[in-house]
Amino acid sequence: MDKIKNLSVRKTIILYMIISLICSYLLSAMIVRVATRVQEQIWWKYVNQDKYFEVVEAEEGEASYYSTDIPRPPSSEMNRMDHFISESVCDFLQTYTVLILSIVGSCVSILLFYRHKLKTPIDELEQSSGRILRNDLDFQITYKNRDEMGRLCQEFERMRGQLAQNNQKLWRMIEDERALRAAIAHDIRSPLSVLKGYQEMLIDYLPDGTIDTAKAMEMLSEGMKQIVRMDAFVDTMRKLNSLEQRKLLPGRITAKQLKTDIQAELVILGMDKGKHVTLDVPETSDIFSGDKEVILEVTENLLSNAWRYAKERIEVKVYVTYSEVKIFVKDDGNGFIEKAEIITKAFHQQNTKDSLKHSGMGMYISRLYCEKHGGNLLLENKEECGAVVTAIFRRIA
């Protein structure tokens, strides 16, 4: 039954038609035979039986290649009922039974074929398309036969899953954009409020000499810090706007090459002094295809973040395979005190005192680049102490 259920649509309809024709032929032969017998019984009532048996006996006594049939009596000799049954009913059945039963059998086979082979997947696809039209993607197509309709349902299910995934990404983008607008309003409002306060104090107290020159210079210096902060914020926003437009440039990446580049990053960032940093990149012959600049930029962000919060030690492990690159950055700091969803948002700052030096975009940009590269960014705390950040990049062509 499973083999029949999983037959292709073409083979199934051929099977249904063959069975239908065989059944139609057998039933037609039976009906024609019965109609012939009934007709002969009616004719027998109007035959000269003595003469008929004489002819039969004569044929049996001689070697003859002919057989004696019951002759059809004239219509005028038969009564009305016998004439109707013999001439109308029996003749009609003998002539048209095969044609009628073939047509009926074909129609029945088509209806059964539709009911058993097409109705269930078509109904399920129709219901699924209606739910998708209503933006309801929380369902699953259950038709699992391995025929053409089953493959169509599987493709439809794959499309539904992709739509659900795209919707999740869209909602996440909307939430990120909402958080970004709130962060922009907050980061712009804060320095502007400080500048406004300093300007009002200078306007009110500087003309009458209430504020001396040293105090005025101090206010101007603090105001310049806020201007620098806003300038850095504008640069960050310009960089953020270019993230989505940045195209990945795949290239050949080896473990040895990546180790050399990360060691150079440590020297440039000054991380080879002050705190103990270990870099472990196991040798492998696999060659990864990816955007090296994006991978190094994410690595730099993770290292900078670990450097700020580490107490004495930072561990970096890099694994390169044909299909993916994994970068683990561990530190011995206090670990993450918030959830990963919050930490990877735009302009998130765990320490508000760093707001003049750090824009809070490092983890957010790293997450975007990892996702753009087909991977993701994982944040967790170590059991003993400190944080572990894992950046995963998957192969691109």
Side-chain angles (χ1 to χ4, degrees):
M1 290 302 296
D2 288 338
K3 290 183 179 179
I4 296 176
K5 186 186 298 183
N6 293 313
L7 282 176
S8 66
V9 173
R10 181 176 58 184
K11 291 180 179 179
T12 304
I13 195 170
I14 291 175
L15 178 63
Y16 273 63
M17 292 301 297
I18 291 175
I19 295 175
S20 169
L21 291 175
I22 292 175
C23 293
S24 299
Y25 173 78
L26 294 176
L27 186 58
S28 298
M30 186 183 303
I31 293 175
V32 170
R33 184 176 179 83
V34 171
T36 302
R37 294 291 298 273
V38 170
Q39 193 175 49
E40 289 178 347
Q41 289 176 2
I42 294 174
W43 292 352
W44 180 251
K45 295 188 299 183
Y46 301 97
V47 171
N48 188 338
Q49 298 180 7
D50 294 334
K51 186 176 181 180
Y52 176 82
F53 285 122
E54 289 178 2
V55 174
V56 171
E57 290 176 359
E59 289 179 352
E60 290 178 354
E62 301 176 358
S64 176
Y65 297 100
Y66 301 96
S67 61
T68 303
D69 293 331
I70 300 174
R72 180 190 293 267
S75 301
S76 58
E77 295 181 4
M78 290 187 290
N79 61 41
R80 185 174 182 181
M81 180 60 67
D82 289 341
H83 180 271
F84 174 76
I85 295 175
S86 174
E87 303 299 318
S88 299
V89 177
C90 293
D91 283 349
F92 178 83
L93 292 177
Q94 291 170 348
T95 306
Y96 298 106
T97 295
V98 176
L99 176 63
I100 293 174
L101 289 184
S102 298
I103 295 174
V104 172
S106 299
C107 294
V108 171
S109 65
I110 292 173
L111 291 176
L112 292 175
F113 169 78
Y114 174 79
R115 178 181 178 182
H116 295 152
K117 198 71 175 177
L118 301 180
K119 187 176 186 302
T120 299
I122 289 177
D123 289 345
E124 193 159 359
L125 289 174
E126 186 177 1
Q127 293 174 6
S128 300
S129 61
R131 296 184 68 172
I132 291 177
L133 187 63
R134 297 190 299 270
N135 204 25
D136 177 15
L137 300 175
D138 188 18
F139 67 93
Q140 189 173 8
I141 296 178
T142 58
Y143 187 80
K144 300 297 183 183
N145 286 5
R146 296 185 299 275
D147 54 6
E148 292 89 340
M149 298 304 297
R151 291 194 293 271
L152 178 61
C153 289
Q154 290 175 8
E155 291 299 323
F156 201 91
E157 170 65 17
R158 188 179 304 173
M159 180 189 70
R160 182 207 63 80
Q162 188 62 47
L163 285 174
Q165 185 177 355
N166 291 342
N167 271 8
Q168 291 178 355
K169 289 182 179 179
L170 179 61
W171 279 110
R172 187 170 183 176
M173 290 174 59
I174 293 174
E175 291 296 327
D176 287 345
E177 184 179 355
R178 187 180 302 169
L180 182 61
R181 289 198 300 267
I184 292 173
H186 176 270
D187 278 35
I188 289 291
R189 188 185 299 113
S190 296
L192 286 178
S193 298
V194 174
L195 286 173
K196 181 180 179 182
Y198 287 151
Q199 292 295 321
E200 289 176 350
M201 291 180 65
L202 290 174
I203 291 173
D204 292 340
Y205 300 113
L206 189 61
D208 57 6
T210 305
I211 298 179
D212 56 16
T213 304
K215 187 65 175 177
M217 290 301 297
E218 182 181 352
M219 289 184 179
L220 291 174
S221 177
E222 291 296 327
M224 283 302 299
K225 290 182 181 180
Q226 299 301 322
I227 293 175
V228 171
R229 177 182 176 183
M230 292 180 63
D231 187 50
F233 176 79
V234 172
D235 288 338
T236 301
M237 288 301 304
R238 184 164 54 249
K239 182 178 181 181
L240 180 63
N241 289 332
S242 65
L243 288 180
E244 296 296 333
Q245 300 175 357
R246 180 170 181 174
K247 294 183 178 180
L248 299 180
L249 302 176
R252 293 163 53 89
I253 300 175
T254 62
K256 183 177 180 181
Q257 175 189 6
L258 201 56
K259 181 178 181 180
T260 302
D261 293 334
I262 294 177
Q263 285 176 337
E265 290 280 344
L266 293 173
V267 175
I268 294 174
L269 296 173
M271 295 183 182
D272 55 340
K273 300 177 182 179
K275 297 178 183 179
H276 184 65
V277 181
T278 59
L279 176 61
D280 181 19
V281 185
E283 288 288 339
T284 177
S285 59
D286 291 336
I287 298 177
F288 179 75
S289 176
D291 193 321
K292 186 178 69 173
E293 297 301 324
V294 167
I295 295 176
L296 291 178
E297 186 170 345
V298 173
T299 305
E300 179 183 342
N301 289 334
L302 300 185
L303 289 172
S304 299
N305 191 72
W307 184 262
R308 291 204 307 272
Y309 296 105
K311 296 177 181 177
E312 298 178 355
R313 186 179 183 85
I314 299 174
E315 298 179 17
V316 183
K317 294 184 179 181
V318 181
Y319 298 95
V320 180
T321 64
Y322 175 83
S323 58
E324 65 181 14
V325 168
K326 287 185 178 181
I327 301 176
F328 299 87
V329 179
K330 304 179 183 178
D331 63 67
D332 59 351
N334 296 324
F336 298 113
I337 61 176
E338 295 174 308
K339 294 182 179 181
E341 294 80 3
I342 299 176
I343 296 174
T344 56
K345 285 184 176 180
F347 302 105
H348 175 270
Q349 294 172 346
Q350 188 167 324
N351 186 359
T352 56
K353 295 180 180 180
D354 291 339
S355 60
L356 293 177
K357 298 180 180 179
H358 306 288
S359 60
M361 294 291 293
M363 301 300 284
Y364 175 73
I365 292 174
S366 299
R367 174 175 67 82
L368 287 185
Y369 275 152
C370 286
E371 293 176 353
K372 197 176 184 69
H373 216 289
N376 52 350
L377 188 69
L378 306 177
L379 282 69
E380 56 185 346
N381 290 323
K382 294 193 296 185
E383 293 183 0
E384 56 276 13
C385 64
V388 182
V389 181
T390 305
I392 302 175
F393 305 89
R394 292 191 171 84
R395 185 180 185 87
I396 58 174

